Amino acid sequence: MKIKKVEIKNFRSIIQGSFEIENILAIVGQNNSGKSNILCALDSFFHPDKQLENYLNNKNSCGIPRKNPCIEITFSEVPHEFDTFKNSENNIKIKQSFSNNRLIYNIFNPTDGKYEIFDKNIKNYIDFVLIPIDRVSDVDGDKLPENSIVYKAIKNSLLKLSERRDTYSVQLQKAYEYIDKHAFEKIAKDINNYYVASHVSAKIMKADNVDSTLLMSVLGISISEKGKEYPINLCGSGIQSLFVIGIYHYISSQIGVNYLIAIEEPEVNLHPQAQRQFANSLLNNTSNNQVILSTHSPSIVDQLGHKDMLLVKKISHPKKGFESKLTQLSSDFFERNGLDVLAYYKFAGFKNSDFFFSSHLIITESPTDGNVVKLLGEKYNIDLLNYGISFVSLGGVCNFKYLYFLLKELDIPHTWIFDKDYFLDYKNSKKENSRDSSGFFQYSNNWTNDTTKKESIKKLFYDDSDRDKILKFLTSNHQKALTLMSRYNVICMRYNLEMDICSSKKSLELYYDLLHIPPRERNVKKILVDNKNAIKDATYIHKIIESLENRNLPYSFKEIVKQLKKIINESV
């Protein structure tokens, strides 16, 4: 059996949440967002005795009266003995609920749509194991603890290997007899020379049964690398985790029970390259077991597919202060939104941490634009990094749909920043033919003719009435356009980033000096047309922004600063 879907209700900080898992799932989110409560809920389902006291003490309660905890798991690859309870997809649903101071298990019967008492031990088919941050208890190098999974795995396997013909114990018996004859008898004879009772003698006796498990007390685990051996307890936690995972895969193959293996923060004590190797090891797993891990590591997260991620966020709740919200890309995400998987990952690949670790994502059309926004944040002491603000460059209108649907599906707070030509075409089609007498760009009075952009505009401004007003204001009153756009988390430059800077008289004076333009040649057109490439230079842009006072900032830049402050306040 394997886990297909988990639904959690009223358990600790999770009022209601669900997620699916195929082979691997990474739980990501900020500290104290509720990631560990997911692992705790799974532990409760599979090991109720460990969690019963927490239920009785209300530690597993969500804190809302008359809201009892409930955990329901959908299982796939179910054996025939459950045929009566299989749905149309050959899955079964088993629910654990806490009521009247006891934990109850029920299984859903799709025939009558009701739940029935479930009295089987689910761990006979699938089990859940949690590998904590401290892995040493299971992998002590010098001596295996008798309660460790490694000790049990080796001992049980020895017993299984010797079921038909125990040649190991026979050889051990011969070894004992040799030692007894050549050592123990001599030692006993020497002891008897000092024994005061002459009518009796002492003898060194062996245990009743000399079998291969007798060696367990002297076994330890070491890791061999490049010809050298190291006790495993001296290796990094990543090596320890992989070894323990390997042990569970081995046990599963021996006893026919699948495992959902949970790992807390596998990145501890691993450098980034080792973290990537760890993630790849999990991805290349060929066993029938599943792995779920909670992590803060960009190096691990960036190796995984977006469907293999579960985002946990802390949001406000009117009755209990906050709750944990679980979001995940649905199984039909790509098909439902008409996205090409390869093209999607070509754009979004290796940026997972930007999306999943961000408290707010700012999307700009180019990296230069993003750097200017960061500079504005620094100028006004807005600590974007400290509040988890991430930046992503769109890199072309063709990529809009990938970001749009990802942010929508995961409900990630975000802000879009565009140049005006994203929305409106140039007045005379070509950019250079659409300047006014001063060199500023002029635009058409209608939405762009670019089909891809048009579709994105409809998605950004989904209200038809507001969309019409925005078009009107873009061609008549840019400040009003910005105000209305802010409802949709969109900022539009009056022209573009470098040209907006030149709409400030103070900025022009600074440009004249930086570009060494003689006084008699100083006019706006000289900057915008004759030096159109120079004003795009990031060095010049940074110098001017650093020199400008707030009152001299272009209105679009003031709007960016305003929105940055708003983002920080909402994060707090």
Side-chain angles (χ1 to χ4, degrees):
M1 287 174 63
K2 296 180 72 172
I3 291 177
K4 180 177 178 62
K5 184 177 181 180
V6 178
E7 298 175 77
I8 305 171
K9 295 180 181 179
N10 306 318
F11 186 88
R12 297 194 177 187
S13 62
I14 305 171
I15 304 300
Q16 184 166 358
S18 64
F19 60 90
E20 296 184 359
I21 178 172
E22 292 186 10
N23 296 318
I24 183 172
L25 183 71
I27 307 173
V28 298
Q30 296 181 337
N31 290 330
N32 199 35
S33 59
K35 299 187 296 297
S36 60
N37 289 340
I38 295 171
L39 302 182
C40 190
L42 289 167
D43 192 44
S44 168
F45 186 94
F46 287 95
H47 307 117
D49 293 342
K50 290 169 57 178
Q51 291 290 332
L52 182 58
E53 185 176 350
N54 285 333
Y55 280 105
L56 295 173
N57 295 333
N58 289 323
K59 289 183 179 180
N60 286 347
S61 167
C62 69
I64 302 176
R66 298 182 297 279
K67 294 285 187 180
N68 293 328
C70 176
I71 302 158
E72 183 171 83
I73 297 182
T74 301
F75 295 94
S76 62
E77 301 183 20
V78 182
H80 289 299
E81 61 188 278
F82 292 100
D83 283 352
T84 305
F85 301 99
K86 291 180 181 178
N87 60 19
S88 59
E89 297 178 346
N90 288 321
N91 301 324
I92 63 170
K93 292 198 294 187
I94 299 175
K95 177 174 65 175
Q96 180 201 69
S97 54
F98 180 71
S99 181
N100 298 322
N101 290 333
R102 64 193 184 103
L103 287 167
I104 304 170
Y105 287 85
N106 297 95
I107 186 168
F108 183 73
N109 190 331
T111 304
D112 58 12
K114 296 180 180 180
Y115 284 89
E116 301 179 10
I117 293 295
F118 181 75
D119 55 6
K120 295 181 181 293
N121 186 355
I122 193 66
K123 291 191 291 184
N124 290 334
Y125 312 92
I126 183 171
D127 201 357
F128 170 80
V129 291
L130 175 62
I131 302 175
I133 296 176
D134 178 14
R135 338 282 193 216
V136 175
S137 60
D138 264 345
V139 292
D140 195 340
D142 296 328
K143 182 181 178 182
L144 293 176
E146 289 190 22
N147 62 342
S148 73
I149 185 65
V150 183
Y151 182 97
K152 295 174 183 176
I154 296 175
K155 183 175 181 179
N156 291 338
S157 296
L158 275 174
L159 293 173
K160 186 174 182 179
L161 288 169
S162 59
E163 279 179 351
R164 293 185 178 180
R165 186 181 178 189
D166 190 1
T167 58
Y168 311 110
S169 296
V170 171
Q171 295 298 322
L172 192 62
Q173 176 69 31
K174 289 181 179 179
Y176 171 78
E177 290 173 355
Y178 179 87
I179 296 172
D180 185 39
K181 182 177 180 179
H182 293 86
F184 292 160
E185 288 183 3
K186 182 178 183 305
I187 294 171
K189 183 177 179 180
D190 290 343
I191 291 174
N192 286 325
N193 289 333
Y194 296 97
Y195 198 45
V196 294
S198 58
H199 61 288
V200 294
S201 62
K203 183 180 180 181
I204 298 175
M205 62 179 292
K206 65 178 179 65
D208 291 337
N209 297 313
V210 177
D211 59 35
S212 53
T213 60
L214 189 66
L215 295 173
M216 293 299 300
S217 62
V218 296
L219 294 183
I221 298 294
S222 66
I223 297 296
S224 178
E225 183 178 11
K226 296 181 179 179
K228 295 184 179 181
E229 290 193 359
Y230 309 91
I232 194 169
N233 58 313
L234 299 182
C235 296
S237 58
I239 296 295
Q240 295 176 10
S241 295
L242 285 174
F243 178 77
V244 175
I245 291 171
I247 286 292
Y248 279 111
H249 289 333
Y250 173 74
I251 296 173
S252 176
S253 69
Q254 295 297 302
I255 65 176
V257 172
N258 289 344
Y259 285 98
L260 173 60
I261 305 170
I263 315 168
E264 287 188 289
E265 299 183 24
E267 65 270 17
V268 174
N269 298 327
L270 287 179
H271 65 79
Q273 180 60 31
Q275 292 175 27
R276 288 188 285 270
Q277 292 172 347
F278 174 85
N280 285 328
S281 297
L282 297 181
L283 290 171
N284 294 328
N285 165 46
T286 57
S287 78
N288 210 33
N289 298 315
Q290 297 164 288
V291 175
I292 183 170
L293 52 94
S294 63
T295 179
H296 296 280
S297 166
S299 297
I300 291 177
V301 167
D302 287 347
Q303 304 302 307
L304 305 178
H306 287 182
K307 283 187 177 181
D308 299 325
M309 314 282 289
L310 177 63
L311 179 59
V312 184
K313 293 184 293 185
K314 184 164 63 174
I315 62 174
S316 60
H317 187 277
K319 292 185 178 180
K320 63 189 277 43
F322 84 92
E323 64 172 303
S324 298
K325 182 176 181 179
L326 280 53
T327 55
Q328 180 186 38
L329 295 187
S330 59
S331 57
D332 64 346
F333 171 73
F334 295 108
E335 297 82 1
R336 177 165 43 83
N337 295 309
L339 303 179
D340 180 86
V341 178
L342 293 178
Y344 173 90
Y345 279 114
K346 185 177 180 180
F347 164 71
F350 309 110
K351 299 177 183 175
N352 296 5
S353 52
D354 288 333
F355 305 134
F356 291 91
F357 290 153
S358 174
S359 62
H360 194 105
L361 193 66
I362 296 178
I363 306 103
T364 58
E365 291 189 73
S366 71
T368 300
D369 292 354
N371 289 334
V372 170
V373 177
K374 294 175 186 177
L375 182 64
L376 285 170
E378 293 173 7
K379 179 179 176 67
Y380 291 94
N381 297 317
I382 303 171
D383 193 345
L384 301 176
L385 182 63
N386 188 50
Y387 287 95
I389 314 299
S390 296
F391 288 80
V392 170
S393 171
L394 191 59
V397 64
C398 60
N399 294 323
F400 172 86
K401 58 184 177 182
Y402 304 130
L403 259 178
Y404 172 81
F405 287 117
L406 174 67
L407 298 176
K408 182 180 179 181
E409 189 103 349
L410 296 178
D411 194 24
I412 297 175
H414 59 277
T415 299
W416 303 87
I417 300 179
F418 295 105
D419 291 340
K420 198 169 190 175
D421 65 359
Y422 190 91
F423 302 108
L424 306 180
D425 291 331
Y426 291 103
K427 185 177 181 179
N428 298 318
S429 297
K430 293 184 179 181
K431 182 188 295 187
E432 290 307 314
N433 296 335
S434 303
R435 295 180 183 268
D436 63 16
S437 58
S438 297
F440 287 103
F441 291 134
Q442 295 177 305
Y443 303 88
S444 71
N445 293 325
N446 299 306
W447 291 119
T448 176
N449 289 318
D450 185 295
T451 303
T452 306
K453 287 182 178 179
K454 270 188 174 180
E455 288 300 315
S456 67
I457 290 168
K458 289 180 180 179
K459 289 180 173 63
L460 286 171
F461 312 120
Y462 46 82
D463 183 272
D464 293 342
S465 177
D466 279 352
R467 192 165 61 249
D468 291 341
K469 290 177 183 177
I470 289 171
L471 175 60
K472 177 184 176 182
F473 292 145
L474 279 174
T475 59
S476 61
N477 191 322
H478 193 75
Q479 290 188 18
K480 286 188 176 180
L482 284 176
T483 300
L484 188 50
M485 284 178 162
S486 66
R487 299 180 188 176
Y488 298 90
N489 304 312
V490 175
I491 298 173
C492 176
M493 310 305 290
R494 185 176 179 183
Y495 304 102
N496 56 41
L497 187 142
E498 65 271 12
M499 192 171 277
D500 278 26
I501 293 177
C502 296
S503 63
S504 163
K505 184 178 179 181
K506 182 64 176 177
S507 298
L508 287 173
E509 293 174 358
L510 292 168
Y511 261 130
Y512 294 145
D513 293 337
L514 288 170
L515 298 174
H516 306 292
I517 297 176
R520 65 181 179 277
E521 298 179 16
R522 293 186 174 188
N523 58 71
V524 181
K525 193 171 183 178
K526 185 71 175 177
I527 296 292
L528 296 180
V529 179
D530 296 349
N531 290 278
K532 61 184 179 183
N533 292 324
I535 62 174
K536 295 179 182 179
D537 189 293
T539 303
Y540 290 145
I541 293 173
H542 284 206
K543 285 182 178 180
I544 289 175
I545 290 177
E546 289 173 349
S547 302
L548 286 179
E549 295 180 12
N550 184 58
R551 59 190 176 87
N552 294 321
L553 278 180
Y555 188 83
S556 56
F557 281 49
K558 291 179 181 178
E559 180 68 16
I560 291 174
V561 173
K562 175 183 173 183
Q563 292 303 320
L564 290 179
K565 291 179 178 179
K566 180 182 176 183
I567 291 168
I568 296 302
N569 289 335
E570 289 175 348
S571 298
V572 174

